[in-house]
Amino acid sequence: MANSAWSEKILQLLRRMNNFYLPGSCRSKCWRFEINEAQVGWIPPHVASLLTRYPEVFSPPHGGAVSLCGSLDSYEKKSEAVDAVLQSLRQESSLTCLKGWRDEKYSVMPKFSDPPLMWMERAATSLFGVKRYGVHVNGYTVSDSGEVNMWLARRSLTKQTYPGLLDNVAAGGLAAGIGVKNTLVKECEEEACIPAAIAEKARPVTNVSYTYEDEDGVFAESQFVFDLELPLEFKPRAGDGEVQEFYLLPIDKVKELLATDDFKPNCAMVVLDFLIRHSFIEPDTEPCYQEFVAGLHQTL
Amino acid sequence: MANSAWSEKILQLLRRMNNFYLPGSCRSKCWRFEINEAQVGWIPPHVASLLTRYPEVFSPPHGGAVSLCGSLDSYEKKSEAVDAVLQSLRQESSLTCLKGWRDEKYSVMPKFSDPPLMWMERAATSLFGVKRYGVHVNGYTVSDSGEVNMWLARRSLTKQTYPGLLDNVAAGGLAAGIGVKNTLVKECEEEACIPAAIAEKARPVTNVSYTYEDEDGVFAESQFVFDLELPLEFKPRAGDGEVQEFYLLPIDKVKELLATDDFKPNCAMVVLDFLIRHSFIEPDTEPCYQEFVAGLHQTL
């Protein structure tokens, strides 16, 4: 693929993954989701109108915001009241995303540095545009001559989301109360059979953030990214059935794949960031260098 | 300094360097600066009213935008007509920033990947909120035991801007027509007497972008960042009189200095990015990790 066609594909990926910021997105029609007067998400109009049926949990939309009722005055009360609403909506089965119910609790707070105000079922977060945090690991090797190869996973065909697409060697969402490094070690073990003694050598290097919308709502996501140089003789193996196969690929091949539809989009972003940080993309030969970096770190 | 006080100082730095995005900034009062119907900057109201005196160069403000007249139909015509206006404003001396006239031509274009539409004197770019691009170099050493130290420059007391403050080992603006790596090699040589054979080993790693406003206008800046591991025995030396002294400091000391007013603010941002990429800051112990990364990559 010619350089400029590759760059254009990458820009398209970044635009798609940040389409909530584009003119014409549902953003101007969304309600702010507020708890204790602080914004914790964005509620699309079709969700806001469903929520009016639960006035004991959600105050009526007001001043551009939907808020939790003041009577829900603790972390547990908020979490349980919202969960009851979601369970009821799940049974009606009008909201497709709730069919992917996972029994995974995600923390809800205005910023990552704030104390969580409640937890919410993972499958429901897009209905409220609540920010989801996760961990992604770039697994790679460096040969004696300095050549870099990257391990990629092929997602299992039975995965609920993005079946059969390329993924980072390990990745996962941050469940309520679990630390970033602990999540990384757990996911490395479960998904790729990387023992803790190796996974713990992963180095935090950045955070990749983006917000996109689709028919399931607003996906505001923020991934903590780690680099993990794997021993040359080590081979990741499929662990929990989420991965069908692992490949060790030269960087040129990885770069080429980034511009195809074979990659889970947010994993492609994490790999793009790796290519930039490791100088496989240079500002004098990649005119969109600055746009690439900007597209990897969009926040409201 | 306690951890949380350090984090708060860093957040303040990032907010100040992105104050153009904050509620209450002049942004809502600025005119878009447009060339061929594409936005290339932001013109503050006091500048826009001065420009109405030059109707042969600037079309009257219209639809939120100030544009160059259509008769200026080439790169050279645009550049020379605007330069003549700036020379005239410079003589009136009502605009402080023009006292810092440098005879350095900066390219003006909507995005870095677009062909330049004109050049503009560096000292005037803030009057038009035109994005300025530059290069910053993190110079550092790694001891045999793996300990990292960073070289910092103390700016000369005679520098026009930020005299006496701490700076990266080398940095400079991208003049029209000069490449990123060439600028880096030139600045390393001129400011720090780093020979080209060493400077060329610098590796591009990211881009740091921010926009702030002050009494001189709107500073939209985008810095291409390079890491340069210097040989242990090499010592940078002041070259062109822009630096008074170089220090080699342990990372803990550098981190402490970041939260003081001793650093040129954008250089502190470049060093913060280094600390994140090199895992000297970790998400489990720095609650503001994600906000730090976001604050280093703000674009409109």
Side-chain angles (χ1 to χ4, degrees):
Chain A
M1 190 181 299
N3 243 352
S4 60
W6 186 87
S7 306
E8 185 48 44
K9 286 288 281 185
I10 300 298
L11 289 177
Q12 283 169 16
L13 163 75
L14 296 171
R15 276 195 292 264
R16 198 166 70 242
M17 292 299 280
N18 287 298
N19 68 5
F20 188 64
Y21 303 101
L22 293 178
S25 83
C26 74
R27 184 175 166 192
S28 61
K29 296 183 209 86
C30 281
W31 300 83
R32 298 189 309 280
F33 177 35
E34 291 187 353
I35 302 179
N36 303 345
E37 295 180 13
Q39 184 173 5
V40 294
W42 296 92
I43 303 183
H46 73 284
V47 179
S49 66
L50 287 174
L51 299 181
T52 56
R53 287 154 43 190
Y54 305 91
E56 70 289 3
V57 179
F58 297 97
S59 297
H62 175 73
V66 170
S67 306
L68 290 187
C69 292
S71 56
L72 303 168
D73 56 5
S74 73
Y75 176 92
E76 280 307 331
K77 280 190 201 163
K78 289 182 182 70
S79 308
E80 283 160 19
V82 172
D83 203 55
V85 169
L86 292 171
Q87 293 284 7
S88 146
L89 290 170
R90 182 188 178 191
Q91 275 159 18
E92 292 179 21
S93 79
S94 67
L95 295 166
T96 323
C97 63
L98 296 183
K99 292 182 186 152
W101 197 277
R102 295 178 179 235
D103 281 324
E104 286 182 39
K105 296 175 179 177
Y106 274 23
S107 292
V108 178
M109 57 266 183
K111 295 194 299 281
F112 192 72
S113 52
D114 295 321
L117 300 171
M118 60 176 284
W119 57 259
M120 181 182 282
E121 155 63 24
R122 174 174 174 169
T125 48
S126 65
L127 301 174
F128 294 82
V130 158
K131 191 170 269 194
R132 299 138 56 115
Y133 296 89
V135 176
H136 282 246
V137 185
N138 292 300
Y140 64 102
T141 60
V142 183
S143 74
D144 295 338
S145 64
E147 196 202 352
V148 177
N149 284 269
M150 182 174 265
W151 281 104
L152 293 178
R154 170 80 64 195
R155 293 164 71 86
S156 163
L157 289 169
T158 58
K159 284 281 279 185
Q160 205 172 66
T161 54
Y162 304 99
L165 294 192
L166 292 171
D167 201 331
N168 304 119
V169 77
L174 274 197
I178 314 289
V180 177
K181 193 77 178 255
N182 284 345
T183 301
L184 172 150
V185 171
K186 182 176 79 69
E187 297 290 347
C188 279
E189 175 71 50
E190 289 177 4
E191 296 189 346
C193 299
I194 300 173
I198 293 181
E200 273 160 6
K201 295 194 173 129
R203 302 185 315 106
V205 285
T206 191
N207 175 284
V208 165
S209 294
Y210 48 89
T211 306
Y212 64 91
E213 62 174 33
D214 68 16
E215 60 285 5
D216 287 328
V218 177
F219 295 78
E221 299 189 338
S222 181
Q223 312 294 355
F224 295 101
V225 178
F226 287 71
D227 280 359
L228 175 57
E229 185 181 335
L230 289 164
L232 287 167
E233 68 284 3
F234 180 82
K235 287 187 173 43
R237 280 182 300 114
D240 54 6
E242 305 212 4
V243 171
Q244 48 171 303
E245 199 176 352
F246 287 98
Y247 312 104
L248 182 64
L249 299 175
I251 288 297
D252 279 352
K253 180 66 187 170
V254 173
K255 191 175 168 190
E256 192 186 309
L257 286 167
L258 273 195
T260 67
D261 296 328
D262 205 22
F263 248 104
K264 181 166 178 262
N266 65 346
C267 301
M269 293 175 77
V270 168
V271 172
L272 175 67
D273 177 78
F274 180 92
L275 296 180
I276 291 168
R277 282 185 295 100
H278 288 261
S279 313
F280 293 110
I281 297 177
E282 308 215 10
D284 279 317
T285 49
E286 176 47 72
C288 302
Y289 190 94
Q290 194 258 323
E291 288 165 79
F292 288 175
V293 176
L296 293 169
H297 305 287
Q298 294 287 300
T299 47
L300 287 164
Chain B
M1 188 179 302
N3 243 352
S4 61
W6 185 87
S7 305
E8 186 48 45
K9 286 287 283 185
I10 299 297
L11 288 178
Q12 283 169 16
L13 164 75
L14 296 172
R15 277 195 290 264
R16 197 166 72 243
M17 292 300 279
N18 288 298
N19 67 6
F20 187 63
Y21 302 101
L22 293 178
S25 83
C26 75
R27 184 174 165 191
S28 60
K29 297 185 208 84
C30 281
W31 300 82
R32 298 189 311 280
F33 177 35
E34 291 187 352
I35 302 180
N36 303 345
E37 295 179 14
Q39 184 173 6
V40 293
W42 296 93
I43 303 182
H46 73 284
V47 178
S49 65
L50 287 174
L51 299 182
T52 56
R53 287 153 44 190
Y54 305 92
E56 70 288 3
V57 179
F58 297 96
S59 298
H62 175 75
V66 170
S67 307
L68 289 187
C69 291
S71 57
L72 303 169
D73 57 4
S74 73
Y75 177 91
E76 279 307 330
K77 279 189 201 164
K78 290 182 182 67
S79 308
E80 283 160 17
V82 172
D83 203 56
V85 169
L86 293 170
Q87 292 285 5
S88 146
L89 291 170
R90 182 186 177 192
Q91 274 161 18
E92 290 177 21
S93 78
S94 66
L95 295 165
T96 324
C97 62
L98 296 182
K99 291 180 186 152
W101 197 276
R102 294 178 179 234
D103 282 324
E104 286 183 37
K105 297 174 179 177
Y106 275 23
S107 292
V108 179
M109 57 266 182
K111 294 194 298 281
F112 192 72
S113 53
D114 294 322
L117 301 171
M118 61 176 285
W119 57 259
M120 181 182 281
E121 155 63 24
R122 173 174 175 170
T125 49
S126 65
L127 301 174
F128 294 82
V130 157
K131 191 170 268 195
R132 297 137 57 113
Y133 295 89
V135 176
H136 281 246
V137 184
N138 292 300
Y140 64 102
T141 59
V142 184
S143 75
D144 296 337
S145 64
E147 195 202 353
V148 176
N149 284 270
M150 183 175 264
W151 280 104
L152 294 178
R154 171 79 67 193
R155 293 164 71 87
S156 162
L157 289 170
T158 58
K159 283 282 278 187
Q160 207 172 64
T161 53
Y162 304 98
L165 294 192
L166 291 171
D167 201 331
N168 303 118
V169 77
L174 274 198
I178 314 288
V180 177
K181 193 78 178 254
N182 283 344
T183 301
L184 172 150
V185 171
K186 180 176 80 71
E187 297 291 347
C188 279
E189 174 71 51
E190 287 177 6
E191 296 189 347
C193 299
I194 299 173
I198 293 181
E200 274 159 6
K201 294 192 174 129
R203 300 185 317 107
V205 285
T206 192
N207 175 282
V208 165
S209 294
Y210 48 89
T211 305
Y212 64 92
E213 62 174 35
D214 69 15
E215 61 284 4
D216 288 328
V218 177
F219 295 79
E221 299 190 338
S222 181
Q223 312 294 355
F224 294 101
V225 178
F226 287 71
D227 279 0
L228 176 57
E229 185 181 336
L230 289 164
L232 287 166
E233 68 283 3
F234 180 81
K235 286 186 174 45
R237 282 182 298 113
D240 55 7
E242 305 211 4
V243 172
Q244 49 172 303
E245 200 175 350
F246 287 97
Y247 312 105
L248 182 64
L249 300 174
I251 287 298
D252 279 352
K253 181 66 186 168
V254 172
K255 191 175 169 192
E256 190 187 311
L257 285 166
L258 274 195
T260 67
D261 297 327
D262 204 21
F263 248 103
K264 180 166 179 261
N266 65 348
C267 301
M269 293 174 77
V270 168
V271 172
L272 175 67
D273 176 78
F274 179 93
L275 296 180
I276 291 168
R277 281 185 296 102
H278 289 260
S279 314
F280 293 110
I281 298 178
E282 308 216 9
D284 278 316
T285 50
E286 175 48 70
C288 303
Y289 190 94
Q290 194 258 321
E291 288 167 79
F292 289 175
V293 176
L296 293 170
H297 305 287
Q298 293 287 300
T299 46
L300 289 165

